[in-house]
Amino acid sequence: MFARRALVLSLALLTPLAHAAWPDPSKPIRMVVGFPPGGGADALARAIAPALSDQLKANVIIDNRPGAGGLIATDIVAKSAPDGYTLYVATPGSFTIWPNLRKLSYDPQKDFAPVSVLVTMPNVLVTGADTPYKDVHGMLAAVRDANGKFSYASGGNGTIGQIAAEQFKMLAGVQMQHVPYKGTTPALTDVMGGVVPITFSDPSAKPLIASGRLRALAVTTAKRSPQFPGVPTVAEAGVPGYEVTNWYGLVAPAGTPSDIVARLNQALVKVMAEPDIRQRLAASGMDATADTPQQFAKLLATERAKWGDLIRKAGIQGD
C-alpha cells in the first residue's frame, strides 16, 4: 500500500499543476493589446475573444495598454507569469522593427512563446476626404513641391505604419516628416481633420473609407487586396518594387508550458476558421489565418532581418 501511494505521489509531482488546472474557469485569461481601443489590433482581439472563450471554456478579457508603439505592453507581457493566463496580440513593431532600432527591456526572441499568426493584411495609404489628392501620382507631386515639409502620420514610432512610409520614401525618392501618434485611431482622426495629410494605416480605416471620410490611394501589398476592391497597389500606382505586408499574431510569455501553447494554437485554428469570425475580420480589412508556433517563429526571424536591412538603408533612428 505504501509503495502504491508513493507511486501515485511521484506521478502527481511529474505533472505540473499549471498544466492540469489550465484554464481555470474562475480565473480570466488576459489578452493584452498594446494600442488604444479602435485600432486594428484591438479590433482583432475583440473579434476573437468571445470565440476563444468558448473554445477554452474560460473568460478571455481584453487589456489595452497603449504607449510607445506597443513597447509598454510588450514589456508587461514579457515579465508576466508563463502560466497561460496572459497573452499578447503581437504586431510587427515590437517584434521585428524596434529590435533593430534600440536596446529593449525585453528580448523578442527569448522572452516570448509564439502561438500563431492570426491575420495578414495590407496597410492602406489614405488621405482625408477634403484633400486634393486623388491618387498616388498627385500625392507624390505635392510631396515633391513641399520641399521636405510634407508630413505623414503613424500609430507610433517603430510601427509597421512608419516602416511602410519610410520604404515609400526610399523607393519613391522623396522626403516626408514623421508625425507619430499613440495608436492608429488618433492618427486617423487627425488625417480626417486635415492636420496631417496622409498615413499608411492598418485596415481599421476600412469603415472610414467606406463612409467617405477617408480616401484610399493604394494598398501596400504586392497584390491587390480583396478587402479593398478597386484600390491599386503602391507599386501599380507608381512606386515599382514596393511591398509591405502587415500581420497580427498571438504570443505568450516564454516558459509557458508547451501543452498550453499547443492547446491555445489548436483553439485559435478553430476560431480563425469560423465563418462569422472571418467575415467580421474581413469587414475590418483583415484576412483570417492560422499557422503553427514554429511557422510563426520563422516569420518573426525573417522579418527582423528584412526590416533591419531597410532601417539601416533608410537611416531610420529610434527614440
Side-chain angles (χ1 to χ4, degrees):
M1 180 65 72
F2 176 78
R4 183 179 178 183
R5 288 179 178 174
L7 177 60
V8 171
L9 179 60
S10 296
L11 290 174
L13 292 174
L14 289 172
T15 305
L17 293 178
H19 295 228
W22 187 90
D24 178 354
S26 67
K27 184 176 181 180
I29 296 172
R30 183 173 57 134
M31 189 183 298
V32 180
V33 177
F35 299 92
D42 179 74
L44 168 64
R46 295 181 189 280
I48 69 171
L52 187 59
S53 294
D54 290 342
Q55 288 290 332
L56 298 176
K57 309 302 180 188
N59 188 27
V60 178
I61 62 172
I62 309 302
D63 183 6
N64 294 89
R65 297 295 186 97
L71 293 183
I72 291 174
T74 312
D75 183 66
I76 289 171
V77 175
K79 293 177 171 59
S80 295
D83 55 8
Y85 290 99
T86 301
L87 308 174
Y88 184 44
V89 179
T91 63
S94 295
F95 287 82
T96 65
I97 300 171
W98 270 109
N100 292 291
L101 285 171
R102 59 184 270 187
K103 184 175 176 61
L104 300 172
S105 59
Y106 61 88
D107 187 323
Q109 299 181 65
K110 297 179 180 179
D111 291 343
F112 300 91
V115 178
S116 179
V117 169
L118 300 177
V119 293
T120 60
M121 61 218 152
N123 273 50
V124 191
L125 172 55
V126 296
T127 188
D130 295 330
T131 70
Y133 317 128
K134 306 301 182 184
D135 51 33
V136 172
H137 178 77
M139 189 208 81
L140 275 173
V143 173
R144 293 186 174 106
D145 288 344
N147 294 317
K149 295 182 180 179
F150 197 95
S151 59
Y152 73 89
S154 83
N157 286 313
T159 59
I160 193 69
Q162 182 189 14
I163 287 293
E166 292 298 324
Q167 187 176 51
F168 181 90
K169 285 170 52 179
M170 187 169 66
L171 293 180
V174 296
Q175 293 299 316
M176 297 188 294
Q177 297 177 358
H178 181 208
V179 183
Y181 287 77
K182 291 183 178 180
T184 301
T185 301
L188 290 174
T189 298
D190 272 8
V191 171
M192 285 189 291
V195 178
V196 185
I198 65 165
T199 185
F200 286 77
S201 174
D202 65 34
S204 64
K206 187 175 181 179
L208 299 171
I209 296 168
S211 68
R213 299 177 68 187
L214 288 172
R215 183 182 302 120
L217 303 181
V219 294
T220 63
T221 40
K223 297 180 180 180
R224 292 194 181 198
S225 170
Q227 310 303 339
F228 296 92
V231 179
T233 68
V234 172
E236 286 179 315
V239 187
Y242 183 96
E243 177 187 359
V244 175
T245 299
N246 198 353
W247 54 263
Y248 300 143
L250 199 72
V251 299
T256 300
S258 59
D259 62 339
I260 291 180
V261 172
R263 187 170 172 189
L264 282 167
N265 181 267
Q266 292 164 5
L268 286 167
V269 168
K270 294 177 181 178
V271 167
M272 304 315 288
E274 292 185 13
D276 58 333
I277 296 292
R278 300 179 70 86
Q279 184 176 3
R280 181 173 175 180
L281 292 173
S284 296
M286 306 178 198
D287 294 312
T289 186
D291 60 8
T292 67
Q294 294 76 20
Q295 289 171 320
F296 189 19
K298 183 177 180 180
L299 171 68
L300 294 174
T302 299
E303 290 215 339
R304 265 192 298 272
K306 176 182 178 180
W307 297 136
D309 184 57
L310 170 67
I311 286 165
R312 287 187 291 273
K313 288 180 178 178
I316 300 172
Q317 300 294 319
D319 288 345

